[in-house]
Amino acid sequence: MAKLKVGILISGRGSNMAALIGASQAADYPAEIACVVSNKADAPGLKIASDAGVATAVVSHRGHADRETFDRALSAELERRGVELVVLAGFMRIFSPWFPVHWANRVINIHPSLLPSFKGLNVQRQALDAGVRLSGCTVHLVIPDLDAGPIIAQAAVPVLADDTDDTLSARILRQEHRLYPLVVRWFAEGRIAIDDGRIEVRDVPPGATLLFSPEP
Ligand code: GAR
């Protein structure tokens, strides 16, 4: 069966992108990475992708009259590569409403908190300041509102008394690298059903959409 063509958008390090590329290298993984596109030419993730033999492109957000013009240029690049699912992996640009509407139900994001808690930036600091005992990451469909949209799956981790932004980020990131390839697999297998703004993941074991990792 033809593999789902995935386009990954990054702005920086690209560790989630690397996890997805790694997963896609397994012969039985049902998705392939058609391209990695960055809005920043110096994103370290670009080299990781090209070293892995994945097509890369830079579409700079600079020099566009407004957000929508940039979004349309980005979208044209993805469409040129035949992308069917857009995967945001540390893509730190806010879209105009046009992009999520154009790619409705075909663009997903990973965010390092248990949404709807802690949106925006400095997310781990927000969690530590709030004193929560549990945090994690969320994969959700992208809608025009920031860090919102139907939740597909989450992974939870403990927040420990001596955590810093860095230790909590690292604990969450390890779960991001497990969760994102799983969700992309479900998309490619046609398991994601969207009904009235809620997501059902069909034919997976009970509890498959919540990972919990108590390891520090
Ligand atoms: C990840 O922790 C991701 O969840 C976060 O940026 C990091 C990117 O790391 N994304 C957001 O905060 C989006 N709101 P990576 O470049 O190594 O994948």
Side-chain angles (χ1 to χ4, degrees):
M1 217 171 84
K3 296 193 178 206
L4 182 77
K5 287 185 187 299
V6 169
I8 303 178
L9 300 186
I10 64 168
S11 298
R13 178 176 61 182
S15 73
N16 276 289
M17 172 211 76
L20 289 161
I21 291 174
S24 74
Q25 285 166 343
D28 65 348
Y29 195 73
E32 64 183 90
I33 312 305
C35 63
V36 169
V37 184
S38 173
N39 64 310
K40 291 188 171 181
D42 61 355
L46 285 171
K47 181 169 176 353
I48 300 172
S50 54
D51 285 351
V54 174
T56 62
V58 175
V59 179
S60 173
H61 55 275
R62 297 186 195 284
H64 292 281
D66 53 29
R67 283 189 195 277
E68 184 174 322
T69 315
F70 166 66
D71 289 357
R72 285 178 183 270
L74 195 59
S75 187
E77 182 63 34
L78 295 165
E79 278 161 359
R80 202 167 68 76
R81 306 277 185 175
V83 166
E84 297 164 293
L85 176 70
V86 181
V87 173
L88 309 185
F91 182 67
M92 303 312 261
R93 294 293 300 171
I94 294 175
F95 289 124
S96 69
W98 181 85
F99 192 95
V101 169
H102 182 73
W103 288 92
N105 299 338
R106 296 181 299 148
V107 51
I108 60 177
N109 182 43
I110 192 159
H111 181 78
S113 76
L114 295 177
L115 289 172
S117 293
F118 314 131
K119 300 179 177 184
L121 297 174
N122 303 320
V123 172
Q124 287 81 9
R125 178 49 30 205
Q126 292 184 49
L128 292 171
D129 288 348
V132 293
R133 282 3 184 200
L134 198 63
S135 192
C137 55
T138 303
V139 178
H140 63 95
L141 284 180
V142 173
I143 62 169
D145 291 342
L146 184 66
D147 296 331
I151 289 172
I152 302 169
Q154 294 182 308
V157 302
V159 180
L160 304 179
D162 58 355
D163 265 335
T164 62
D165 295 21
D166 286 349
T167 57
L168 181 56
S169 297
R171 188 176 311 117
I172 293 172
L173 197 62
R174 284 196 290 278
Q175 300 310 310
E176 295 186 41
H177 297 164
R178 292 175 66 202
L179 190 66
Y180 225 0
L182 196 59
V183 172
V184 170
R185 169 184 281 282
W186 291 336
F187 254 97
E189 291 173 343
R191 294 186 194 280
I192 309 266
I194 304 153
D195 182 16
D196 210 14
R198 286 186 71 88
I199 305 268
E200 185 201 346
V201 185
R202 294 199 192 107
D203 301 325
V204 292
T209 56
L210 169 64
L211 304 183
F212 177 63
S213 179
E215 53 94 25

